[in-house]
Amino acid sequence: MQIVIDYFEAFNAGNVEGMLACLTEDVAHHVNEGQVREGKDLFLAFCTHMNQCYAERLTDMVVFSAQGGTRAAAEYTVNGTYLQTDEGLPEARGQTYCLPAGSFFDIRDGKIARVTTYYNLADWVRQVGA
C-alpha cells in the first residue's frame, strides 16, 4: 500500500512534513503505552518531542494491506539511539537499541486516518539499561 510506504519513507528521511502529508486532518494517533492523539497538530507535537529524544531508523519493513484498501499493517525493526531523557523513562546517555515493532492503519480517501504503533516497552527499557 503506497501511502503507508510513503509514510515510512518520510519517517526514515526525518521528514515530518512528508509524514503529515500522508495523514487525514483528523488522524487518530494511538501511541504505544499512551493516549490517543487526534489531529495533525498533536501528531506534529508528538513527532517534535520524539525527534528531540530519539534518533530512529526503521528496517526489515514488511507492509500488509487488507482487500479493499481500507486497512494496512507493517512489521519492522526499530534501530535507535536514545538522545535526551524522556520524562518518566531512564536517563539518556546515547544508548542504542534494536527492537521489533508494528503499526496498524486505517485508510480513508487515500490518506492515513489512524496510526496505531506497538512495541515492547519493557524490552526497550532493558536495552537502554534502566
Side-chain angles (χ1 to χ4, degrees):
M1 172 155 290
Q2 192 60 50
I3 193 70
V4 172
I5 293 167
D6 292 348
Y7 172 85
F8 284 121
E9 285 178 352
F11 178 94
N12 274 342
N15 179 0
V16 175
E17 289 301 319
M19 293 170 68
L20 290 170
C22 296
L23 307 177
T24 61
E25 290 298 322
D26 64 344
V27 64
H29 182 208
H30 297 248
V31 180
N32 191 70
E33 310 260 348
Q35 301 297 316
V36 176
R37 299 162 184 254
E38 294 184 8
K40 283 186 173 182
D41 289 343
L42 291 179
F43 187 90
L44 174 60
F46 176 83
C47 289
T48 300
H49 171 78
M50 292 296 288
N51 288 339
Q52 291 171 345
C53 295
Y54 311 92
E56 295 181 329
R57 179 151 181 81
L58 309 180
T59 59
D60 307 316
M61 179 76 57
V62 179
V63 176
F64 308 88
S65 61
Q67 189 172 3
T70 60
R71 298 187 46 196
E75 185 177 23
Y76 46 88
T77 302
V78 180
N79 305 276
T81 303
Y82 189 25
L83 304 172
Q84 178 179 311
T85 303
D86 201 347
E87 184 179 343
L89 295 174
E91 182 181 342
R93 299 180 311 278
Q95 306 94 310
T96 59
Y97 51 92
C98 181
L99 66 154
S103 295
F104 303 90
F105 303 90
D106 286 343
I107 311 299
R108 184 176 73 235
D109 300 326
K111 300 261 185 169
I112 296 169
R114 175 186 59 92
V115 180
T116 304
T117 302
Y118 290 107
Y119 58 88
N120 186 322
L121 182 60
D123 183 18
W124 180 86
V125 168
R126 181 189 57 75
Q127 289 186 46
V128 299

